[in-house]
């Protein structure tokens, strides 16, 4: 069973640029959630995708957007980067359903984004 | 609104002594509650979860947590700390009926003294 993988591991961008982060979900998982973890803080929920549709969103502006593909891998896109976007971005996959239920999430190692 | 408060940002215990990491939650629904651990430069790992079954939940590595609805608490305990337990611990509340589905606490850094 392959775990959750994320790419790239590190990324440096400048203010105003755009970035795309990628996540491959664990085999058999149809749900992907993205989190932002600033230094010294807990992860903050950005959004969740279930079967290619956005299925919940935290308090993040629209310049944070995402996609989920038919193979359930996912992308996080951030436009117009700001200095405060510097953080560890975590992806987690799980087996979900529209009926809900809190299934265990399996986390990837994260992508460290630095905005200069 | 749902929220989770970890009452201590840092906890230090001696090796072999009990561990208590405190967590209080707020949710308008019957939430699911989790504890995750994050070792330095490693990914988040699930320790245990509560999903409205038994109120005393046993997890990996000897950890357990008790759900107390009357106190809105979900404290994490371990009878005897080991050096390898040194890490950051996160309490998480999840309500899949909400748009902001999953809320992490700010974390508790556990230090183990030799």
């Amino acid at each position: 069973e392959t775990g959750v993988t994320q790419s790239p591991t590190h990324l440096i961008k400048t203010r105003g640029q755009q970035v795309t982060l990628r996540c491959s979900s664990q085999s058999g998982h149809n749900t992907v959630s993205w989190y932002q973890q600033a230094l010294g803080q807990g992860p903050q929920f950005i959004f969740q995708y279930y079967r290619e549709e956005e299925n919940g969103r935290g308090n993040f502006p629209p310049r944070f957007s995402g996609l989920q593909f038919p193979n359930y891998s996912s992308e996080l896109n951030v436009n117009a980067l700001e200095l405060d976007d510097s953080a560890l971005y975590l992806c987690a996959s799980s087996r979900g359903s529209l009926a809900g239920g809190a299934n265990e999430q399996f986390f990837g190692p994260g992508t460290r984004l630095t905005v200069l | 609104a749902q929220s989770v408060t970890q009452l201590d940002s840092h906890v230090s215990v001696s090796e072999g002594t009990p561990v208590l990491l405190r967590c209080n939650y707020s949710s308008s629904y019957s939430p699911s509650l989790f504890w995750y651990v994050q070792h330095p430069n490693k990914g988040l790992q699930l320790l245990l979860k509560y999903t409205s079954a038994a109120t005393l939940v046993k997890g990996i590595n000897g950890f357990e947590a008790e759900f107390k609805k009357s106190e809105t608490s979900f404290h994490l305990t371990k009878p005897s700390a080991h050096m390898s337990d040194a890490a950051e611990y996160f309490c998480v509340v999840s309500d899949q009926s909400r748009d902001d589905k999953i809320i992490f606490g700010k974390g508790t850094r556990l230090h183990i003294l030799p």
Side-chain angles (χ1 to χ4, degrees), chain A:
Chain A
E1 191 175 70
T2 307
V4 179
T5 59
Q6 293 185 243
S7 63
T9 54
H10 295 84
L11 204 51
I12 299 175
K13 291 284 189 178
T14 56
R15 272 186 305 174
Q17 284 190 311
Q18 178 264 342
V19 69
T20 297
L21 309 182
R22 294 179 175 83
C23 171
S24 291
S25 58
Q26 187 161 310
S27 176
H29 289 182
N30 55 16
T31 302
V32 171
S33 303
W34 284 92
Y35 298 84
Q36 181 194 67
Q37 186 177 18
L39 203 60
Q41 301 292 319
Q44 284 196 287
F45 176 70
I46 303 175
F47 44 55
Q48 182 181 89
Y49 278 83
Y50 169 71
R51 290 188 174 179
E52 303 179 59
E53 297 286 332
E54 188 176 292
N55 181 39
R57 189 178 181 93
N59 188 26
F60 279 81
R63 61 190 184 83
F64 285 78
S65 63
L67 282 174
Q68 188 178 31
F69 300 100
N71 66 354
Y72 302 130
S73 66
S74 178
E75 284 183 356
L76 164 66
N77 299 291
V78 187
N79 293 323
L81 283 167
E82 301 176 0
L83 296 180
D84 284 349
D85 295 334
S86 295
L88 180 67
Y89 287 84
L90 295 166
C91 162
S93 74
S94 59
R95 287 191 186 92
S97 71
L98 283 177
N103 296 312
E104 177 181 354
Q105 294 189 78
F106 292 80
F107 283 82
T111 293
R112 174 75 62 188
L113 173 65
T114 302
V115 182
L116 302 175

Side-chain angles (χ1 to χ4, degrees), chain A residues 35 37 43 55-57 102 104, chain B residues 32 38 46 99 101-102 104:
Chain A
Y35 298 84
Q37 186 177 18
N55 181 39
R57 189 178 181 93
E104 177 181 354
Chain B
S32 296
Q38 188 175 38
L46 179 69
D99 211 33
K101 296 184 180 300
I102 301 153
F104 274 70

